[in-house]
Amino acid sequence: MQTPSAPSDGRPFDAVLCDLDGVIRFFDASVVARLEREAGLPEGTTAAVGFAPENDRPLLEGRITRRQWAESIVRGLPAALPRPRAEALAAAFTRADFRADPQVVALLRRLRRRCPLVLVTNATAWLDDDLRKMGITDLATSVVNSSELGIVKPDPRIYRIAAARAGVPLDRCLFVDDRSENVTAAVALGATGVVYRARTDLERALAPLLGEDEARTPAADR
């Protein structure tokens, strides 16, 4: 955990700014992987195209639709791939199933009783529908969605907006993200930062505020 010096009141932070994907939400890549095998493509080919900056960034800035994103994936897949196969891969990738980690959700719900929680996510225009599907529309105090702002992490402006939504200065915020470059940017602005690799990273970060017992998930769920 990257952290500034502890504040004088002993509380390590007064709000949490938390990423969504890779921390709370996880996608099922099994259908795409199967279609790639059937097409003779290396696993991960579709994701490499879909997340390429020229395809991904316009989506996350709210400048293209899901259909346009899918079409950009079709164009980016190997030219020798028959178009019906490319379209099937693009459809499976852009509409992949997903789930929320129930233990992380439970931990963050406990946190909400103690301080503001703001989701700060490079996300799509249909994020609200996704949150409803996961049953977590009420999880956060506020949601900062890049596609609504036209600003993506690690742009400093998105962290300042998130802190303002929490009503807390950035140097009194904990920022959690699975991408180190996003955490580094938040820390440069004064936040405490945690690079999320496993649920225990979040437990350790929240323990000073929640206490060891309340921050810990059951051993069977690890």
Side-chain angles (χ1 to χ4, degrees):
M1 181 166 66
Q2 304 173 57
T3 178
S5 58
S8 57
D9 65 2
R11 287 170 57 93
F13 47 82
D14 292 321
V16 173
L17 315 179
C18 187
D19 184 27
L20 178 67
D21 294 325
V23 178
I24 300 171
R25 175 168 67 170
F26 296 87
F27 285 86
D28 180 359
S30 61
V31 174
V32 174
R34 175 178 57 79
L35 291 174
E36 287 174 335
R37 288 193 300 271
E38 292 173 355
L41 295 176
E43 188 170 330
T45 298
T46 311
V49 174
F51 293 139
E54 64 271 19
N55 298 328
D56 187 45
R57 192 174 184 99
L59 179 76
L60 299 180
E61 291 178 343
R63 294 189 281 115
I64 62 173
T65 64
R66 183 176 355 219
R67 178 177 295 182
Q68 290 170 317
W69 184 37
E71 180 56 32
S72 73
I73 295 171
V74 171
R75 292 194 304 269
L77 287 169
L81 190 68
R83 185 172 178 90
R85 280 191 180 272
E87 289 177 341
L89 278 165
F93 182 75
T94 59
R95 296 184 178 276
D97 199 9
F98 52 83
R99 64 173 181 84
D101 182 323
Q103 284 73 45
V104 170
V105 169
L107 181 58
L108 293 176
R109 288 196 186 281
R110 293 197 290 274
L111 172 77
R112 270 290 306 277
R113 297 197 292 265
R114 304 292 184 89
C115 71
L117 167 67
V118 177
L119 298 185
V120 189
T121 175
N122 288 348
T124 63
W126 55 90
L127 175 63
D128 288 348
D129 290 339
D130 290 355
L131 295 177
R132 279 192 288 272
K133 182 176 180 180
M134 291 184 284
I136 58 171
T137 54
D138 62 343
L139 178 63
T141 308
S142 182
V143 177
V144 176
N145 179 352
S146 67
S147 66
E148 293 181 349
L149 300 172
I151 305 169
V152 301
K153 295 177 291 187
D155 188 312
R157 292 174 294 173
I158 202 166
Y159 305 101
R160 295 187 179 109
I161 290 168
R165 296 268 187 96
V168 173
L170 255 173
D171 63 3
R172 296 290 287 155
C173 292
L174 171 71
F175 178 72
V176 182
D177 199 292
D178 67 321
R179 298 183 68 91
S180 59
E181 64 269 27
N182 294 339
V183 174
T184 297
V187 171
L189 296 171
T192 300
V194 172
V195 179
Y196 185 95
R197 294 289 178 263
R199 197 180 307 133
T200 51
D201 297 325
L202 188 58
E203 292 173 353
R204 284 192 295 269
L206 298 183
L209 185 63
L210 295 179
E212 294 289 343
D213 291 340
E214 196 171 354
R216 188 178 302 115
T217 55
D221 294 329
R222 294 176 186 273

